[in-house]
Amino acid sequence: MARIELQNIAKNYGPVEVMRDINLEIEDGEFIVLVGPSGCGKSTLLRMIAGLEPITDGEFRVDGRRMNEVQPRDRDMAMVFQSYALYPHMDVARNMGFSLEIRKAPSQERAGKVHDAAKTLGLTSLTARLPKALSGGQRQRVAMGRAIVRDPSAFLFDEPLSNLDAALRVEMRLEIARLHQRLETTMIYVTHDQVEALTLADRIVVLNAGKIQQVGTPLDLYERPANRFVAQFIGSPTMNILEVAPADKGVLLKDGTLIGISPGTGHASASDLGVRPEHLNIVPEAAAHFSGTAELVEHLGSDTNIHARVPDIGQVLVRQHGHFPLKTGDPVHIAMELDKVHLFAPDGQRLEPVVGSG
Amino acid sequence: MSVHRHSSPLAVTGKYLALALYVGFALFPLYWLAKIAVTPDKLIYTEGTALVPSSFTLENFRTVLVATDFLYYFRNSLVVSLTTAAITTCIAAAAGYAFSRFTFRGKRLVVAIMLITQMFPLLMIIAPIYKIVAAVGLLNSLTSLIIVYTAFNIPFATFLMQSFFDGIPKDLEEAGMMDGCTRFQALRKIVLPLTLPGLGATLGFIFTAAWSELLFALMLINSNDTMTFPVGLLTFVSKFSVDWGQMMAAGVLALVPSCLFFIFIQRYLVQGLTSGAVKG
């Protein structure tokens, strides 16, 4: 059990600053997902928590105790690596029991814990095998088993599913969620896959360029993204961003259409309007905010994605539920659900939109 | 569609012919060595160019083993080569690990210096080495050879070991440290078992190099007691004649430890020991 605090954490490699002002409090038992594009520093942050990477500045505490200088082996955290990092010369059982072996636990206790973990993960028949005789999914399970056996105060996952194929990834994702429900241990999970983030997390930390962009529940991030980066990073397909100019009673799209929504008085003026594909609708011409032609129509069965080209505005993606009878080249008339529209200032920060006011 | 590719019989024949030619070319001197070793003395000159001698004898081997100091030379060489290989490999493994895993001040400088030592022809430094060895009173001792061979083989062995350590994913040690190992425990329990092929290759390489070294052995050793094998071979050259048969018999015997050594380490040289560690 662990409550983890990061205070003003910074990381430099020589003169290069890769991370700064990282402040985060993780409650005991919480499932936190660090998400961001490659190179954003999410893995570095996890490695600093693990103790594999020195912390340049700031304080890292577990249950109120400063841990900056504590060796990885004394932090009582288990880590699952992206590469699995199984010991190739040890069989599955010894791999899983290695942490207990190092701590000189009695062999009976070791065997019992390994057996329990193997049973949970469906590895019982494989315990005598070497890692090279396992499939990718099995290796992944062994790596998780190795972490579980230790009964650590926190689990760290570094993109654990990115080497698996799509079907297996979904299955293992479920397994990790189940594991968290059962153990109720603090988990910190790094991924670049927003679906993993949205499905697993109690709270998501979005990172970009070494800084925290937003911390919140999956719904928070989806409904009220703190800035344009988060807005475009969370949600699939990506949010449409349309350039706008401020006007008296709302904002003006580039084709001159007035949209009756504004940041409210006293705030910075909006330069971008964001609207998710699922909050756009194909409507009769009279009700439309703008019109264009369908350039590409993707029929996914459950949904239809319509890539439309709108004169003066550009490419817009519309997502309609179910099968939508439309084909390439058809004219489309598009309306926004105004209560679901986001506004952003020129610096990318979110502006709280007010519908219908000036 | 069949995945089996049918090459024309001509191409296959050509390929094997080329291989056979190469193998024949490479192994011919060894064959000649063995051939002369078993040829009776009186036939060496009369049948000088015959591929197969008209009669065989093991007399040369008997003479070499019984009537000459060959066994002394052999023992001296064994002591020098084994000790050199062991010391060099230990130092090179430690240095190679440091180069592979740590960044430290002066690392580039040390690497540069080690490379530079490999650039000079050995002939250039023979005289200074002789002066130094003479000054410390180590002439005619096996110790001098061990020190010199170790010093000259360490740079190459270090780079060799470094490349083996580079091939072992860092994740493995980090996983070990997360599992409760100190860095040294991770090295001993995880990295070391995986480096055995590398250690084997380095040992074998250094052993062979030390086994066949002539230049320094010739310079630093004069007394019959401490002669190594390559120097000892020269004793078969007397003032008036060269005892080819015995010399070649000794040469054949000298191949034995090298062969044994490689057979012994071969199982460690087998690649793929790390497979299964990380995604693959």
Side-chain angles (χ1 to χ4, degrees):
Chain A
M1 300 285 108
R3 183 173 185 281
I4 295 169
E5 292 163 274
L6 302 171
Q7 198 179 349
N8 295 324
I9 296 286
K11 175 72 188 170
N12 298 351
Y13 287 114
V16 187
E17 183 181 65
V18 291
M19 213 166 233
R20 66 194 165 98
D21 294 343
I22 302 289
N23 288 293
L24 186 63
E25 287 181 15
I26 301 170
E27 294 303 322
D28 183 25
E30 204 175 10
F31 199 127
I32 286 280
V33 174
L34 306 177
V35 70
S38 12
C40 71
K42 54 191 190 296
S43 283
T44 309
L45 183 57
L46 191 76
R47 289 169 57 82
M48 288 197 283
I49 294 172
L52 299 171
E53 200 77 63
I55 297 169
T56 311
D57 199 14
E59 192 164 77
F60 164 54
R61 288 188 294 267
V62 176
D63 292 332
R65 184 181 152 219
R66 180 184 162 95
M67 299 290 265
N68 290 39
E69 291 79 21
V70 175
Q71 289 295 312
R73 66 174 182 279
D74 298 324
R75 292 194 182 193
D76 195 21
M77 293 180 181
M79 183 153 166
V80 177
F81 290 78
Q82 179 179 9
S83 64
Y84 317 145
L86 303 181
Y87 312 126
H89 54 301
M90 302 180 193
D91 63 20
V92 167
R94 193 161 166 228
N95 256 291
M96 286 169 60
F98 186 68
S99 57
L100 302 174
E101 182 184 327
I102 283 290
R103 289 186 168 77
K104 302 202 165 64
S107 64
Q108 234 168 352
E109 179 197 334
R110 210 194 305 164
K113 286 191 172 172
V114 169
H115 178 78
D116 290 348
K119 210 167 134 195
T120 318
L121 293 163
L123 292 168
T124 319
S125 59
L126 304 174
T127 47
R129 287 210 200 164
L130 286 177
K132 66 179 170 201
L134 300 177
S135 70
Q138 290 166 340
R139 286 179 200 176
Q140 176 60 60
R141 267 168 225 257
V142 176
M144 274 169 58
R146 193 166 64 180
I148 297 172
V149 164
R150 289 187 45 192
D151 193 17
S153 63
F155 285 92
L156 309 176
F157 294 92
D158 189 3
E159 307 209 24
L161 307 184
S162 56
N163 288 337
L164 301 176
D165 63 49
L168 209 49
R169 203 177 300 173
V170 175
E171 192 189 319
M172 291 306 293
R173 203 171 71 204
L174 266 168
E175 207 145 318
I176 292 175
R178 250 182 252 134
L179 188 71
H180 182 240
Q181 275 174 9
R182 193 165 59 83
L183 301 174
E184 294 178 335
T185 309
T186 312
M187 292 189 176
I188 307 177
Y189 187 107
V190 162
T191 182
H192 60 262
D193 181 348
Q194 50 142 326
V195 180
E196 277 173 32
L198 292 168
T199 51
L200 287 170
D202 291 327
R203 279 194 302 155
I204 297 176
V205 179
V206 183
L207 284 156
N208 187 36
K211 290 185 80 173
I212 292 183
Q213 304 293 313
Q214 189 172 3
V215 183
T217 64
L219 216 56
D220 275 346
L221 301 193
Y222 180 82
E223 289 181 342
R224 302 188 66 237
N227 55 42
R228 203 168 55 204
F229 175 82
V230 177
Q232 289 204 282
F233 194 79
I234 300 291
S236 172
T238 310
M239 179 188 282
N240 295 295
I241 298 285
L242 314 177
E243 251 183 73
V244 292
D248 273 356
K249 292 196 175 302
V251 290
L252 279 178
L253 290 179
K254 279 188 88 187
D255 65 352
T257 315
L258 179 74
I259 306 292
I261 182 169
S262 66
T265 39
H267 290 282
S269 52
S271 69
D272 290 297
L273 178 154
V275 57
R276 296 192 186 277
E278 51 270 40
H279 299 145
L280 288 174
N281 291 306
I282 308 288
V283 292
E285 189 169 2
H289 287 115
F290 42 82
S291 304
T293 39
E295 275 198 330
L296 178 67
V297 183
E298 299 167 332
H299 297 285
L300 304 176
S302 61
D303 295 294
T304 307
N305 289 343
I306 300 130
H307 298 262
R309 172 152 300 277
V310 180
D312 296 331
I313 290 177
Q315 196 82 22
V316 174
L317 176 59
V318 183
R319 179 182 222 176
Q320 295 290 274
H321 197 64
H323 175 66
F324 202 83
L326 203 65
K327 58 184 190 303
T328 306
D330 284 352
V332 284
H333 309 289
I334 302 166
M336 298 184 272
E337 295 175 21
L338 286 186
D339 56 336
K340 305 249 171 73
V341 161
H342 310 268
L343 288 177
F344 301 104
D347 64 357
Q349 290 307 305
R350 174 188 180 80
L351 298 166
E352 212 51 57
V354 182
V355 179
S357 77
Chain B
M1 221 172 81
S2 163
V3 285
H4 187 78
R5 233 181 58 205
H6 294 279
S7 335
S8 79
L10 205 66
V12 174
T13 317
K15 195 171 84 183
Y16 282 109
L17 198 69
L19 278 175
L21 269 175
Y22 173 72
V23 171
F25 184 75
L27 292 184
F28 188 75
L30 286 181
Y31 168 72
W32 211 246
L33 179 80
K35 184 218 131 184
I36 294 175
V38 296
T39 308
D41 271 347
K42 60 182 188 316
L43 294 181
I44 282 184
Y45 292 105
T46 52
E47 289 183 357
T49 54
L51 273 179
V52 181
S54 55
S55 70
F56 296 90
T57 176
L58 291 178
E59 185 58 28
N60 288 327
F61 287 96
R62 206 191 64 81
T63 317
V64 164
L65 290 175
V66 178
T68 69
D69 286 337
F70 176 81
L71 285 177
Y72 275 118
Y73 309 150
F74 199 85
R75 195 210 59 191
N76 288 341
S77 265
L78 216 53
V79 168
V80 169
S81 304
L82 282 178
T83 316
T84 303
I87 297 176
T88 307
T89 306
C90 286
I91 296 174
Y97 182 75
F99 283 147
S100 168
R101 291 296 193 260
F102 303 128
T103 43
F104 50 88
R105 214 185 322 173
K107 179 174 169 180
R108 288 167 65 98
L109 185 72
V110 176
V111 172
I113 289 174
M114 286 172 80
L115 272 176
I116 287 170
T117 62
Q118 301 290 290
M119 291 175 184
F120 294 102
L122 288 183
L123 273 174
M124 276 171 60
I125 43 172
I126 280 237
I129 293 275
Y130 182 85
K131 291 291 269 180
I132 295 170
V133 172
V136 295
L138 282 177
L139 282 180
N140 281 322
S141 72
L142 296 180
T143 317
S144 67
L145 288 184
I146 292 170
I147 293 172
V148 171
Y149 293 168
T150 302
F152 277 94
N153 280 311
I154 278 177
F156 182 81
T158 300
F159 294 135
L160 199 64
M161 283 310 300
Q162 185 194 345
S163 71
F164 278 105
F165 283 121
D166 284 345
I168 295 174
K170 231 177 157 176
D171 279 1
L172 288 182
E173 279 164 281
E174 291 180 344
M177 291 197 274
M178 291 301 295
D179 264 353
C181 293
T182 59
R183 184 173 268 283
F184 186 71
Q185 276 177 319
L187 175 65
R188 193 165 56 87
K189 295 204 174 240
I190 296 161
V191 178
L192 205 63
L194 301 174
T195 327
L196 285 181
L199 289 172
T202 311
L203 268 177
F205 181 84
I206 305 302
F207 179 85
T208 325
W211 183 259
S212 55
E213 208 285 332
L214 173 67
L215 204 56
F216 282 106
L218 206 55
M219 282 299 296
L220 301 177
I221 305 287
N222 289 316
S223 89
N224 204 47
D225 289 350
T226 48
M227 269 186 196
T228 56
F229 176 76
V231 186
L233 266 191
L234 292 177
T235 60
F236 291 100
V237 183
S238 65
K239 250 180 204 156
F240 305 107
S241 70
V242 179
D243 210 329
W244 289 112
Q246 287 177 22
M247 199 183 199
M248 297 301 146
V252 170
L253 290 172
L255 283 175
V256 173
S258 285
C259 290
L260 282 181
F261 201 80
F262 271 95
I263 290 169
F264 170 68
I265 61 168
Q266 196 200 339
R267 67 196 185 101
Y268 296 111
L269 289 175
V270 177
Q271 290 301 308
L273 215 64
T274 57
S275 67
V278 295
K279 181 210 175 241

